[in-house]
Amino acid sequence: KPMRILFIHNTPMWYRIPFFKLLNESYNIKFIFTQYNISNERYGVDIDKYLNNLSQLNYEIIKTIHGYSRSYAKKLLFDDYDILVDSLEFPSILLTYITSKLRNRYIILWSEEWDWKDKRLLKRLLIPFKKYIVSNVSAILVPGTKHRDFFIELGAAKENVYLMPNATNYPPKSVKQEIINSIQNEYQLKNKKVILYVGRLKERKGVNYLIRGFAHLWRERKDIILLIIGRGDEKEHLECLISELKCNDAVRLLGYVDDEILAAYYSLCNVCVIPSVVHGIGDPWVFTLNEAMSFGKPVIATDAVGAAYDLIESEENGYMIPERDDIAIYTAL
């Protein structure tokens, strides 16, 4: 008989919607979104404007607190399904896992976690539970080899871990030349080498190391400029750092840029840098690598970026460098 799937996900992330729609075409699937506002809170993206794209899906939004609510528990216990799909996020995975075993259902983990060497006590205490769960689920889906190796090391059977690479739904587009010309004129980019950062301004994004690495190079040559696209709570700290390093004329904090304009920045840059650091966790993937490469641009990413291990071929399309190392960024640039 056709399998019925209950798919648990924190939010209908805008870049996941095409994938959810493809799943819906092939399977009898119900989506449960448990942290609906996380896109806005974490990424500054209003997910409401994407709801029309979800209209063909069978989905429900159930708010949970610490991974639990009464209505959510009832869904797991009494809904008609054969397969549960969930992440390895605690504590919600405990309820999902226990329910699947009580009801004798298949459970598939879809996770972007990898070995971040998180030394916090709670994270270390969870390791035995993680080992037990990953050793007893039906299958595990991961985006890259770094993630696969982590789960195998935790105790998952190698044949139960499947690579499902992350792919961007933001392919190269025909960028209007007048938009490129406008940006070049506004920031005086003619005869400049353009270094680009796209992402949130958060501590674990390591943008301060990028600015320091850029400043080293800027002292040697003045034909470079750093454009930083994104917003976040590190903005004031980064502005102070730029002033301290006296490179205000060469670093631009541009804030949020919508997709059509962003394509122009990818088109005109010479290199894209992802300087993330391990701060509690590393960066699970980072779609900026996919996006920059889809525009044919070389990338520099730290070893705290999950995608770097699979997408970067050193000296071919970029460099993977150590995290928290401004000199390594300077050298790669």
Side-chain angles (χ1 to χ4, degrees):
K1 65 178 181 179
M3 286 289 189
R4 297 152 297 180
I5 303 170
L6 189 64
F7 197 114
I8 313 297
H9 203 57
N10 53 20
T11 185
M13 300 293 259
W14 67 100
Y15 55 81
R16 297 288 189 203
I17 292 175
F19 171 60
F20 292 153
K21 291 169 77 171
L22 285 170
L23 277 178
N24 189 65
E25 291 174 8
S26 302
Y27 300 100
N28 180 1
I29 188 167
K30 172 73 174 282
F31 294 91
I32 304 294
F33 301 118
T34 60
Q35 298 177 53
Y36 178 74
N37 290 324
I38 200 171
S39 288
N40 188 30
E41 295 167 359
R42 187 177 294 176
Y43 302 101
V45 176
D46 182 8
I47 201 64
D48 287 336
K49 71 180 184 180
Y50 293 93
L51 280 185
N52 286 338
N53 292 326
L54 294 174
S55 59
Q56 62 188 265
L57 303 185
N58 179 14
Y59 75 94
E60 188 172 346
I61 299 168
I62 301 178
K63 185 177 181 180
T64 62
I65 300 175
H66 301 302
Y68 175 81
S69 74
R70 183 176 297 179
S71 57
Y72 178 55
K74 285 176 66 177
K75 281 279 178 202
L76 294 176
L77 287 168
F78 301 112
D79 264 24
D80 186 21
Y81 59 85
D82 303 290
I83 301 171
L84 266 172
V85 181
D86 200 357
S87 67
L88 192 58
E89 188 171 334
F90 280 82
S92 60
I93 184 58
L94 295 175
L95 178 61
T96 308
Y97 180 79
I98 292 169
T99 302
S100 70
K101 294 304 178 183
L102 285 174
R103 299 191 63 186
N104 195 28
R105 301 296 191 261
Y106 298 107
I107 180 168
I108 296 173
L109 295 182
W110 181 24
S111 177
E112 295 185 330
E113 186 170 344
W114 52 276
D115 190 6
W116 296 312
K117 305 295 183 185
D118 196 330
K119 296 179 180 179
R120 290 175 293 180
L121 178 60
L122 178 59
K123 295 296 183 180
R124 285 189 280 123
L125 291 174
L126 290 176
I127 290 175
F129 295 97
K130 287 184 177 182
K131 287 184 174 181
Y132 182 82
I133 289 172
V134 304
S135 299
N136 290 279
V137 295
S138 306
I140 302 170
L141 303 174
V142 295
T145 54
K146 189 74 172 174
H147 315 73
R148 180 190 61 196
D149 294 345
F150 168 67
F151 279 96
I152 292 172
E153 187 177 333
L154 271 182
K158 186 175 181 179
E159 62 272 16
N160 281 353
V161 184
Y162 295 83
L163 278 178
M164 187 176 76
N166 280 328
T168 180
N169 57 1
Y170 183 64
K173 301 174 182 178
S174 55
V175 183
K176 295 179 181 178
Q177 189 60 44
E178 55 263 34
I179 296 178
I180 294 177
N181 293 341
S182 174
I183 294 171
Q184 289 175 326
N185 292 332
E186 181 177 359
Y187 299 110
Q188 299 178 342
L189 302 182
K190 189 175 181 181
N191 299 321
K192 297 279 190 181
K193 301 293 186 184
V194 178
I195 299 159
L196 180 67
Y197 168 83
V198 179
R200 290 175 288 156
L201 306 184
K202 306 287 286 186
E203 186 174 351
R204 74 180 178 92
K205 291 297 183 177
V207 184
N208 56 320
Y209 293 98
L210 169 57
I211 292 171
R212 291 184 185 278
F214 172 84
H216 291 309
L217 188 61
W218 188 67
R219 294 186 189 106
E220 298 176 3
R221 52 189 295 176
K222 302 302 182 185
D223 65 335
I224 59 173
I225 188 167
L226 172 59
L227 304 180
I228 297 174
I229 293 176
R231 54 194 172 189
D233 54 23
E234 283 281 289
K235 181 182 177 184
E236 289 186 12
H237 169 70
L238 297 176
E239 287 174 335
C240 291
L241 178 62
I242 292 165
S243 295
E244 177 190 324
L245 296 172
K246 297 181 172 58
C247 54
N248 305 66
D249 293 339
V251 181
R252 298 282 187 271
L253 295 173
L254 306 183
Y256 174 79
V257 170
D258 67 40
D259 281 351
E260 182 180 0
I261 306 300
L262 181 59
Y265 283 99
Y266 278 128
S267 294
L268 61 81
C269 80
N270 294 91
V271 61
C272 188
V273 185
I274 300 91
S276 302
V277 301
V278 174
H279 181 68
I281 65 172
D283 246 328
W285 186 259
V286 188
F287 279 90
T288 301
L289 268 78
N290 299 67
E291 293 174 2
M293 287 182 171
S294 73
F295 283 84
K297 303 300 177 174
V299 294
I300 298 168
T302 68
D303 53 10
V305 177
Y309 295 86
D310 293 280
L311 297 187
I312 293 179
E313 296 179 22
S314 184
E315 300 187 20
E316 293 292 331
N317 59 6
Y319 295 94
M320 183 167 68
I321 59 174
E323 61 156 328
R324 301 179 187 270
D325 190 337
D326 52 295
I327 299 300
I329 291 175
Y330 154 75
T331 303
L333 284 173

